[in-house]
mmCIF file of all heavy atoms in Angstrom:
data_model
loop_
_atom_site.group_PDB
_atom_site.id
_atom_site.type_symbol
_atom_site.label_atom_id
_atom_site.label_comp_id
_atom_site.label_asym_id
_atom_site.label_seq_id
_atom_site.Cartn_x
_atom_site.Cartn_y
_atom_site.Cartn_z
ATOM 1 N N ALA Y 4 -1.512 8.670 5.063
ATOM 2 C CA ALA Y 4 -2.091 7.501 5.658
ATOM 3 C C ALA Y 4 -2.650 6.612 4.558
ATOM 4 O O ALA Y 4 -3.349 7.065 3.667
ATOM 5 C CB ALA Y 4 -3.206 7.878 6.609
ATOM 6 N N VAL Y 5 -2.298 5.322 4.643
ATOM 7 C CA VAL Y 5 -2.770 4.352 3.616
ATOM 8 C C VAL Y 5 -3.856 3.500 4.304
ATOM 9 O O VAL Y 5 -3.649 2.944 5.386
ATOM 10 C CB VAL Y 5 -1.639 3.449 3.147
ATOM 11 C CG1 VAL Y 5 -2.136 2.423 2.144
ATOM 12 C CG2 VAL Y 5 -0.552 4.312 2.508
ATOM 13 N N ALA Y 6 -4.993 3.340 3.638
ATOM 14 C CA ALA Y 6 -6.118 2.584 4.190
ATOM 15 C C ALA Y 6 -5.862 1.073 4.160
ATOM 16 O O ALA Y 6 -4.816 0.605 3.690
ATOM 17 C CB ALA Y 6 -7.388 2.917 3.370
ATOM 18 N N ALA Y 7 -6.807 0.319 4.674
ATOM 19 C CA ALA Y 7 -6.751 -1.126 4.710
ATOM 20 C C ALA Y 7 -6.464 -1.701 3.314
ATOM 21 O O ALA Y 7 -7.151 -1.339 2.363
ATOM 22 C CB ALA Y 7 -8.031 -1.707 5.274
ATOM 23 N N ILE Y 8 -5.470 -2.588 3.215
ATOM 24 C CA ILE Y 8 -5.011 -3.123 1.937
ATOM 25 C C ILE Y 8 -5.642 -4.482 1.647
ATOM 26 O O ILE Y 8 -5.967 -4.812 0.528
ATOM 27 C CB ILE Y 8 -3.492 -3.252 1.949
ATOM 28 C CG1 ILE Y 8 -2.851 -1.859 2.199
ATOM 29 C CG2 ILE Y 8 -2.959 -3.820 0.618
ATOM 30 C CD1 ILE Y 8 -1.389 -1.933 2.602
ATOM 31 N N HIS Y 9 -5.760 -5.304 2.711
ATOM 32 C CA HIS Y 9 -6.407 -6.623 2.610
ATOM 33 C C HIS Y 9 -5.779 -7.506 1.487
ATOM 34 O O HIS Y 9 -6.470 -8.203 0.724
ATOM 35 C CB HIS Y 9 -7.914 -6.492 2.306
ATOM 36 C CG HIS Y 9 -8.678 -6.082 3.539
ATOM 37 N ND1 HIS Y 9 -9.533 -5.002 3.566
ATOM 38 C CD2 HIS Y 9 -8.697 -6.573 4.790
ATOM 39 C CE1 HIS Y 9 -10.072 -4.854 4.759
ATOM 40 N NE2 HIS Y 9 -9.567 -5.805 5.532
ATOM 41 N N GLY Y 10 -4.469 -7.481 1.432
ATOM 42 C CA GLY Y 10 -3.763 -8.390 0.508
ATOM 43 C C GLY Y 10 -3.919 -8.088 -0.971
ATOM 44 O O GLY Y 10 -3.619 -8.945 -1.764
ATOM 45 N N GLU Y 11 -4.361 -6.881 -1.275
ATOM 46 C CA GLU Y 11 -4.513 -6.494 -2.693
ATOM 47 C C GLU Y 11 -3.174 -5.926 -3.193
ATOM 48 O O GLU Y 11 -2.999 -4.684 -3.292
ATOM 49 C CB GLU Y 11 -5.616 -5.454 -2.823
ATOM 50 C CG GLU Y 11 -7.008 -5.984 -2.468
ATOM 51 C CD GLU Y 11 -7.685 -6.678 -3.626
ATOM 52 O OE1 GLU Y 11 -7.077 -6.765 -4.724
ATOM 53 O OE2 GLU Y 11 -8.798 -7.162 -3.438
ATOM 54 N N ALA Y 12 -2.257 -6.805 -3.529
ATOM 55 C CA ALA Y 12 -0.894 -6.413 -3.874
ATOM 56 C C ALA Y 12 -0.821 -5.492 -5.078
ATOM 57 O O ALA Y 12 -0.049 -4.520 -5.106
ATOM 58 C CB ALA Y 12 -0.010 -7.654 -4.092
ATOM 59 N N GLU Y 13 -1.612 -5.786 -6.110
ATOM 60 C CA GLU Y 13 -1.526 -4.962 -7.322
ATOM 61 C C GLU Y 13 -2.015 -3.538 -7.061
ATOM 62 O O GLU Y 13 -1.410 -2.592 -7.575
ATOM 63 C CB GLU Y 13 -2.388 -5.607 -8.420
ATOM 64 C CG GLU Y 13 -1.811 -6.915 -8.963
ATOM 65 C CD GLU Y 13 -2.606 -7.489 -10.097
ATOM 66 O OE1 GLU Y 13 -3.594 -6.859 -10.524
ATOM 67 O OE2 GLU Y 13 -2.287 -8.603 -10.518
ATOM 68 N N ARG Y 14 -3.065 -3.414 -6.281
ATOM 69 C CA ARG Y 14 -3.518 -2.053 -5.938
ATOM 70 C C ARG Y 14 -2.480 -1.319 -5.105
ATOM 71 O O ARG Y 14 -2.277 -0.125 -5.286
ATOM 72 C CB ARG Y 14 -4.854 -2.114 -5.176
ATOM 73 C CG ARG Y 14 -6.016 -2.579 -6.029
ATOM 74 C CD ARG Y 14 -7.360 -2.381 -5.298
ATOM 75 N NE ARG Y 14 -8.480 -2.874 -6.062
ATOM 76 C CZ ARG Y 14 -9.118 -2.207 -7.020
ATOM 77 N NH1 ARG Y 14 -8.661 -0.973 -7.320
ATOM 78 N NH2 ARG Y 14 -10.132 -2.716 -7.666
ATOM 79 N N LEU Y 15 -1.831 -2.038 -4.196
ATOM 80 C CA LEU Y 15 -0.781 -1.383 -3.382
ATOM 81 C C LEU Y 15 0.399 -0.947 -4.243
ATOM 82 O O LEU Y 15 0.910 0.168 -4.077
ATOM 83 C CB LEU Y 15 -0.316 -2.367 -2.301
ATOM 84 C CG LEU Y 15 0.815 -1.824 -1.408
ATOM 85 C CD1 LEU Y 15 0.333 -0.580 -0.638
ATOM 86 C CD2 LEU Y 15 1.297 -2.918 -0.436
ATOM 87 N N MET Y 16 0.773 -1.768 -5.201
ATOM 88 C CA MET Y 16 1.870 -1.363 -6.100
ATOM 89 C C MET Y 16 1.513 -0.098 -6.899
ATOM 90 O O MET Y 16 2.332 0.801 -7.040
ATOM 91 C CB MET Y 16 2.189 -2.536 -7.060
ATOM 92 C CG MET Y 16 2.773 -3.743 -6.398
ATOM 93 S SD MET Y 16 2.951 -5.138 -7.542
ATOM 94 C CE MET Y 16 3.395 -6.469 -6.420
ATOM 95 N N ARG Y 17 0.270 -0.068 -7.411
ATOM 96 C CA ARG Y 17 -0.175 1.112 -8.165
ATOM 97 C C ARG Y 17 -0.231 2.322 -7.265
ATOM 98 O O ARG Y 17 0.120 3.455 -7.697
ATOM 99 C CB ARG Y 17 -1.501 0.829 -8.847
ATOM 100 C CG ARG Y 17 -1.461 -0.189 -9.976
ATOM 101 C CD ARG Y 17 -2.654 -0.096 -10.868
ATOM 102 N NE ARG Y 17 -3.907 -0.362 -10.183
ATOM 103 C CZ ARG Y 17 -4.471 -1.558 -10.089
ATOM 104 N NH1 ARG Y 17 -3.870 -2.632 -10.604
ATOM 105 N NH2 ARG Y 17 -5.634 -1.692 -9.489
ATOM 106 N N LEU Y 18 -0.729 2.165 -6.063
ATOM 107 C CA LEU Y 18 -0.800 3.276 -5.155
ATOM 108 C C LEU Y 18 0.591 3.810 -4.817
ATOM 109 O O LEU Y 18 0.834 5.012 -4.776
ATOM 110 C CB LEU Y 18 -1.533 2.852 -3.846
ATOM 111 C CG LEU Y 18 -1.717 3.996 -2.862
ATOM 112 C CD1 LEU Y 18 -3.186 4.507 -2.931
ATOM 113 C CD2 LEU Y 18 -1.338 3.629 -1.457
ATOM 114 N N HIS Y 19 1.523 2.912 -4.587
ATOM 115 C CA HIS Y 19 2.920 3.326 -4.312
ATOM 116 C C HIS Y 19 3.498 4.107 -5.505
ATOM 117 O O HIS Y 19 4.251 5.074 -5.319
ATOM 118 C CB HIS Y 19 3.780 2.127 -3.979
ATOM 119 C CG HIS Y 19 3.615 1.645 -2.546
ATOM 120 N ND1 HIS Y 19 4.020 0.375 -2.160
ATOM 121 C CD2 HIS Y 19 3.125 2.254 -1.462
ATOM 122 C CE1 HIS Y 19 3.760 0.225 -0.871
ATOM 123 N NE2 HIS Y 19 3.253 1.376 -0.419
ATOM 124 N N ASP Y 20 3.160 3.671 -6.709
ATOM 125 C CA ASP Y 20 3.648 4.354 -7.893
ATOM 126 C C ASP Y 20 3.089 5.783 -7.963
ATOM 127 O O ASP Y 20 3.782 6.722 -8.424
ATOM 128 C CB ASP Y 20 3.244 3.607 -9.155
ATOM 129 C CG ASP Y 20 4.046 2.343 -9.371
ATOM 130 O OD1 ASP Y 20 5.111 2.188 -8.739
ATOM 131 O OD2 ASP Y 20 3.590 1.482 -10.159
ATOM 132 N N LEU Y 21 1.859 5.979 -7.513
ATOM 133 C CA LEU Y 21 1.284 7.310 -7.466
ATOM 134 C C LEU Y 21 1.783 8.130 -6.316
ATOM 135 O O LEU Y 21 1.914 9.368 -6.403
ATOM 136 C CB LEU Y 21 -0.270 7.204 -7.386
ATOM 137 C CG LEU Y 21 -0.990 6.574 -8.568
ATOM 138 C CD1 LEU Y 21 -2.425 6.319 -8.233
ATOM 139 C CD2 LEU Y 21 -0.875 7.470 -9.779
ATOM 140 N N LEU Y 22 2.059 7.465 -5.228
ATOM 141 C CA LEU Y 22 2.490 8.192 -4.003
ATOM 142 C C LEU Y 22 3.926 8.679 -4.092
ATOM 143 O O LEU Y 22 4.240 9.810 -3.708
ATOM 144 C CB LEU Y 22 2.361 7.237 -2.809
ATOM 145 C CG LEU Y 22 2.839 7.737 -1.449
ATOM 146 C CD1 LEU Y 22 2.166 9.032 -1.032
ATOM 147 C CD2 LEU Y 22 2.658 6.644 -0.384
ATOM 148 N N ALA Y 23 4.815 7.872 -4.665
ATOM 149 C CA ALA Y 23 6.254 8.192 -4.656
ATOM 150 C C ALA Y 23 6.568 9.601 -5.188
ATOM 151 O O ALA Y 23 7.315 10.340 -4.538
ATOM 152 C CB ALA Y 23 7.011 7.115 -5.419
ATOM 153 N N PRO Y 24 6.027 10.006 -6.340
ATOM 154 C CA PRO Y 24 6.372 11.343 -6.839
ATOM 155 C C PRO Y 24 5.701 12.473 -6.070
ATOM 156 O O PRO Y 24 6.089 13.631 -6.264
ATOM 157 C CB PRO Y 24 5.864 11.283 -8.291
ATOM 158 C CG PRO Y 24 4.806 10.284 -8.314
ATOM 159 C CD PRO Y 24 5.223 9.229 -7.320
ATOM 160 N N ARG Y 25 4.769 12.148 -5.217
ATOM 161 C CA ARG Y 25 4.084 13.195 -4.419
ATOM 162 C C ARG Y 25 4.793 13.489 -3.121
ATOM 163 O O ARG Y 25 4.530 14.519 -2.474
ATOM 164 C CB ARG Y 25 2.643 12.768 -4.090
ATOM 165 C CG ARG Y 25 1.647 12.924 -5.231
ATOM 166 C CD ARG Y 25 0.320 12.307 -4.792
ATOM 167 N NE ARG Y 25 -0.818 12.775 -5.552
ATOM 168 C CZ ARG Y 25 -1.231 12.270 -6.730
ATOM 169 N NH1 ARG Y 25 -0.550 11.277 -7.296
ATOM 170 N NH2 ARG Y 25 -2.294 12.761 -7.332
ATOM 171 N N LEU Y 26 5.694 12.633 -2.712
ATOM 172 C CA LEU Y 26 6.364 12.801 -1.435
ATOM 173 C C LEU Y 26 7.302 14.003 -1.441
ATOM 174 O O LEU Y 26 8.019 14.246 -2.446
ATOM 175 C CB LEU Y 26 7.170 11.530 -1.061
ATOM 176 C CG LEU Y 26 6.367 10.276 -0.811
ATOM 177 C CD1 LEU Y 26 7.284 9.094 -0.664
ATOM 178 C CD2 LEU Y 26 5.480 10.454 0.459
ATOM 179 N N VAL Y 27 7.273 14.766 -0.373
ATOM 180 C CA VAL Y 27 8.160 15.929 -0.237
ATOM 181 C C VAL Y 27 8.918 15.831 1.084
ATOM 182 O O VAL Y 27 8.574 15.031 1.973
ATOM 183 C CB VAL Y 27 7.370 17.232 -0.307
ATOM 184 C CG1 VAL Y 27 6.591 17.379 -1.600
ATOM 185 C CG2 VAL Y 27 6.438 17.377 0.885
ATOM 186 N N ASP Y 28 9.924 16.640 1.215
ATOM 187 C CA ASP Y 28 10.730 16.651 2.446
ATOM 188 C C ASP Y 28 9.845 16.907 3.637
ATOM 189 O O ASP Y 28 9.043 17.848 3.657
ATOM 190 C CB ASP Y 28 11.803 17.735 2.310
ATOM 191 C CG ASP Y 28 12.869 17.620 3.405
ATOM 192 O OD1 ASP Y 28 13.020 16.514 3.973
ATOM 193 O OD2 ASP Y 28 13.522 18.635 3.751
ATOM 194 N N GLY Y 29 9.970 16.070 4.652
ATOM 195 C CA GLY Y 29 9.214 16.245 5.862
ATOM 196 C C GLY Y 29 7.934 15.398 5.945
ATOM 197 O O GLY Y 29 7.255 15.403 6.980
ATOM 198 N N ASP Y 30 7.635 14.645 4.877
ATOM 199 C CA ASP Y 30 6.453 13.808 4.901
ATOM 200 C C ASP Y 30 6.634 12.594 5.818
ATOM 201 O O ASP Y 30 7.772 12.047 5.909
ATOM 202 C CB ASP Y 30 6.137 13.307 3.490
ATOM 203 C CG ASP Y 30 5.359 14.339 2.676
ATOM 204 O OD1 ASP Y 30 5.151 15.452 3.201
ATOM 205 O OD2 ASP Y 30 4.985 14.025 1.521
ATOM 206 N N ARG Y 31 5.553 12.174 6.464
ATOM 207 C CA ARG Y 31 5.555 10.976 7.291
ATOM 208 C C ARG Y 31 4.540 10.016 6.633
ATOM 209 O O ARG Y 31 3.643 10.416 5.885
ATOM 210 C CB ARG Y 31 5.159 11.280 8.698
ATOM 211 C CG ARG Y 31 5.962 12.439 9.341
ATOM 212 C CD ARG Y 31 7.425 12.102 9.499
ATOM 213 N NE ARG Y 31 8.136 13.233 10.061
ATOM 214 C CZ ARG Y 31 9.167 13.826 9.495
ATOM 215 N NH1 ARG Y 31 9.592 13.433 8.297
ATOM 216 N NH2 ARG Y 31 9.836 14.821 10.083
ATOM 217 N N LEU Y 32 4.652 8.725 6.978
ATOM 218 C CA LEU Y 32 3.855 7.694 6.329
ATOM 219 C C LEU Y 32 3.344 6.686 7.358
ATOM 220 O O LEU Y 32 4.157 6.172 8.128
ATOM 221 C CB LEU Y 32 4.662 7.003 5.208
ATOM 222 C CG LEU Y 32 4.010 5.859 4.456
ATOM 223 C CD1 LEU Y 32 2.766 6.312 3.710
ATOM 224 C CD2 LEU Y 32 5.048 5.247 3.474
ATOM 225 N N VAL Y 33 2.049 6.356 7.290
ATOM 226 C CA VAL Y 33 1.516 5.365 8.219
ATOM 227 C C VAL Y 33 0.516 4.497 7.502
ATOM 228 O O VAL Y 33 -0.341 4.980 6.734
ATOM 229 C CB VAL Y 33 0.857 6.011 9.469
ATOM 230 C CG1 VAL Y 33 -0.198 7.036 9.079
ATOM 231 C CG2 VAL Y 33 0.277 4.975 10.425
ATOM 232 N N TYR Y 34 0.620 3.175 7.659
ATOM 233 C CA TYR Y 34 -0.305 2.210 7.094
ATOM 234 C C TYR Y 34 -1.268 1.800 8.230
ATOM 235 O O TYR Y 34 -0.819 1.353 9.278
ATOM 236 C CB TYR Y 34 0.447 0.990 6.589
ATOM 237 C CG TYR Y 34 1.356 1.302 5.402
ATOM 238 C CD1 TYR Y 34 2.674 1.768 5.612
ATOM 239 C CD2 TYR Y 34 0.930 1.106 4.073
ATOM 240 C CE1 TYR Y 34 3.524 2.044 4.560
ATOM 241 C CE2 TYR Y 34 1.774 1.400 3.023
ATOM 242 C CZ TYR Y 34 3.076 1.850 3.257
ATOM 243 O OH TYR Y 34 3.912 2.115 2.179
ATOM 244 N N LEU Y 35 -2.584 1.877 7.948
ATOM 245 C CA LEU Y 35 -3.552 1.796 9.001
ATOM 246 C C LEU Y 35 -4.117 0.393 9.229
ATOM 247 O O LEU Y 35 -5.285 0.225 9.562
ATOM 248 C CB LEU Y 35 -4.695 2.771 8.708
ATOM 249 C CG LEU Y 35 -4.253 4.244 8.566
ATOM 250 C CD1 LEU Y 35 -5.448 5.160 8.403
ATOM 251 C CD2 LEU Y 35 -3.395 4.674 9.746
ATOM 252 N N GLY Y 36 -3.283 -0.619 9.110
ATOM 253 C CA GLY Y 36 -3.674 -1.993 9.482
ATOM 254 C C GLY Y 36 -4.462 -2.702 8.403
ATOM 255 O O GLY Y 36 -4.767 -2.179 7.328
ATOM 256 N N ASN Y 37 -4.823 -3.986 8.698
ATOM 257 C CA ASN Y 37 -5.469 -4.844 7.720
ATOM 258 C C ASN Y 37 -4.642 -4.893 6.452
ATOM 259 O O ASN Y 37 -5.140 -4.734 5.374
ATOM 260 C CB ASN Y 37 -6.911 -4.416 7.410
ATOM 261 C CG ASN Y 37 -7.856 -4.728 8.564
ATOM 262 O OD1 ASN Y 37 -7.426 -4.756 9.721
ATOM 263 N ND2 ASN Y 37 -9.095 -4.960 8.239
ATOM 264 N N LEU Y 38 -3.342 -5.113 6.651
ATOM 265 C CA LEU Y 38 -2.410 -5.315 5.555
ATOM 266 C C LEU Y 38 -2.719 -6.605 4.842
ATOM 267 O O LEU Y 38 -2.597 -6.730 3.618
ATOM 268 C CB LEU Y 38 -0.984 -5.288 6.054
ATOM 269 C CG LEU Y 38 -0.596 -4.204 7.069
ATOM 270 C CD1 LEU Y 38 0.798 -4.464 7.606
ATOM 271 C CD2 LEU Y 38 -0.677 -2.828 6.419
ATOM 272 N N ILE Y 39 -3.110 -7.624 5.638
ATOM 273 C CA ILE Y 39 -3.357 -8.966 5.163
ATOM 274 C C ILE Y 39 -4.849 -9.254 5.221
ATOM 275 O O ILE Y 39 -5.662 -8.440 5.658
ATOM 276 C CB ILE Y 39 -2.573 -9.984 5.982
ATOM 277 C CG1 ILE Y 39 -2.969 -9.949 7.475
ATOM 278 C CG2 ILE Y 39 -1.057 -9.709 5.870
ATOM 279 C CD1 ILE Y 39 -2.281 -10.976 8.345
ATOM 280 N N GLY Y 40 -5.236 -10.481 4.797
ATOM 281 C CA GLY Y 40 -6.614 -10.912 4.888
ATOM 282 C C GLY Y 40 -7.439 -10.599 3.658
ATOM 283 O O GLY Y 40 -7.191 -9.597 2.989
ATOM 284 N N HIS Y 41 -8.408 -11.460 3.367
ATOM 285 C CA HIS Y 41 -9.368 -11.314 2.270
ATOM 286 C C HIS Y 41 -8.712 -11.550 0.904
ATOM 287 O O HIS Y 41 -9.213 -12.332 0.114
ATOM 288 C CB HIS Y 41 -10.093 -9.990 2.323
ATOM 289 C CG HIS Y 41 -11.060 -9.880 3.431
ATOM 290 N ND1 HIS Y 41 -12.266 -10.570 3.442
ATOM 291 C CD2 HIS Y 41 -11.033 -9.203 4.594
ATOM 292 C CE1 HIS Y 41 -12.905 -10.309 4.543
ATOM 293 N NE2 HIS Y 41 -12.190 -9.472 5.292
ATOM 294 N N GLY Y 42 -7.673 -10.824 0.550
ATOM 295 C CA GLY Y 42 -7.059 -10.928 -0.755
ATOM 296 C C GLY Y 42 -6.296 -12.238 -0.922
ATOM 297 O O GLY Y 42 -6.081 -13.037 -0.001
ATOM 298 N N THR Y 43 -5.855 -12.453 -2.159
ATOM 299 C CA THR Y 43 -5.169 -13.729 -2.518
ATOM 300 C C THR Y 43 -3.669 -13.545 -2.696
ATOM 301 O O THR Y 43 -2.968 -14.525 -2.995
ATOM 302 C CB THR Y 43 -5.758 -14.320 -3.803
ATOM 303 O OG1 THR Y 43 -5.608 -13.376 -4.872
ATOM 304 C CG2 THR Y 43 -7.237 -14.649 -3.624
ATOM 305 N N ARG Y 44 -3.152 -12.322 -2.530
ATOM 306 C CA ARG Y 44 -1.735 -12.091 -2.753
ATOM 307 C C ARG Y 44 -1.078 -11.463 -1.488
ATOM 308 O O ARG Y 44 -0.487 -10.409 -1.513
ATOM 309 C CB ARG Y 44 -1.527 -11.197 -3.977
ATOM 310 C CG ARG Y 44 -2.048 -11.834 -5.280
ATOM 311 C CD ARG Y 44 -1.692 -10.962 -6.476
ATOM 312 N NE ARG Y 44 -0.233 -10.866 -6.645
ATOM 313 C CZ ARG Y 44 0.355 -9.982 -7.513
ATOM 314 N NH1 ARG Y 44 -0.386 -9.183 -8.234
ATOM 315 N NH2 ARG Y 44 1.675 -9.961 -7.613
ATOM 316 N N ILE Y 45 -1.249 -12.180 -0.401
ATOM 317 C CA ILE Y 45 -0.784 -11.725 0.884
ATOM 318 C C ILE Y 45 0.759 -11.568 0.899
ATOM 319 O O ILE Y 45 1.320 -10.555 1.301
ATOM 320 C CB ILE Y 45 -1.217 -12.638 2.027
ATOM 321 C CG1 ILE Y 45 -2.730 -12.855 1.987
ATOM 322 C CG2 ILE Y 45 -0.736 -12.131 3.374
ATOM 323 C CD1 ILE Y 45 -3.552 -11.612 2.183
ATOM 324 N N ALA Y 46 1.463 -12.632 0.481
ATOM 325 C CA ALA Y 46 2.926 -12.568 0.501
ATOM 326 C C ALA Y 46 3.454 -11.466 -0.368
ATOM 327 O O ALA Y 46 4.401 -10.739 0.039
ATOM 328 C CB ALA Y 46 3.486 -13.946 0.053
ATOM 329 N N GLU Y 47 2.852 -11.252 -1.543
ATOM 330 C CA GLU Y 47 3.291 -10.197 -2.418
ATOM 331 C C GLU Y 47 3.050 -8.822 -1.815
ATOM 332 O O GLU Y 47 3.780 -7.847 -2.015
ATOM 333 C CB GLU Y 47 2.622 -10.290 -3.786
ATOM 334 C CG GLU Y 47 3.008 -11.538 -4.581
ATOM 335 C CD GLU Y 47 2.087 -12.711 -4.345
ATOM 336 O OE1 GLU Y 47 1.457 -12.781 -3.231
ATOM 337 O OE2 GLU Y 47 1.986 -13.576 -5.212
ATOM 338 N N THR Y 48 1.927 -8.712 -1.075
ATOM 339 C CA THR Y 48 1.620 -7.432 -0.377
ATOM 340 C C THR Y 48 2.688 -7.115 0.642
ATOM 341 O O THR Y 48 3.192 -5.985 0.724
ATOM 342 C CB THR Y 48 0.244 -7.551 0.293
ATOM 343 O OG1 THR Y 48 -0.770 -7.713 -0.690
ATOM 344 C CG2 THR Y 48 -0.039 -6.297 1.098
ATOM 345 N N MET Y 49 3.052 -8.100 1.414
ATOM 346 C CA MET Y 49 4.098 -7.887 2.428
ATOM 347 C C MET Y 49 5.440 -7.522 1.780
ATOM 348 O O MET Y 49 6.159 -6.624 2.249
ATOM 349 C CB MET Y 49 4.269 -9.173 3.288
ATOM 350 C CG MET Y 49 3.039 -9.526 4.099
ATOM 351 S SD MET Y 49 2.618 -8.302 5.337
ATOM 352 C CE MET Y 49 3.993 -8.550 6.455
ATOM 353 N N ASP Y 50 5.750 -8.199 0.667
ATOM 354 C CA ASP Y 50 6.995 -7.882 -0.048
ATOM 355 C C ASP Y 50 6.996 -6.441 -0.540
ATOM 356 O O ASP Y 50 8.024 -5.736 -0.469
ATOM 357 C CB ASP Y 50 7.198 -8.829 -1.234
ATOM 358 C CG ASP Y 50 7.540 -10.243 -0.813
ATOM 359 O OD1 ASP Y 50 8.027 -10.403 0.335
ATOM 360 O OD2 ASP Y 50 7.318 -11.191 -1.614
#
């Protein structure tokens, strides 16, 4: 589960870099909302 991101694209990119090698067969993934808002890199976060 990924917590509220609030448009912090750089933090999301770094988190994804840490998460990718930890994934194993059978893992599921859920983003818990507040993907946008507050931050200044909303479009990059969505990308």
Side-chain angles (χ1 to χ4, degrees):
V5 179
I8 303 163
H9 285 127
E11 295 274 0
E13 290 183 5
R14 290 190 183 277
L15 179 61
M16 292 173 190
R17 291 199 298 269
L18 184 103
H19 280 161
D20 287 343
L21 295 171
L22 175 59
R25 282 173 159 85
L26 294 172
V27 302
D28 191 24
D30 279 3
R31 311 294 179 238
L32 176 61
V33 56
Y34 295 85
L35 303 185
N37 287 29
L38 314 172
I39 61 176
H41 289 288
T43 59
R44 298 186 63 191
I45 305 300
E47 293 92 334
T48 297
M49 297 295 291
D50 289 339

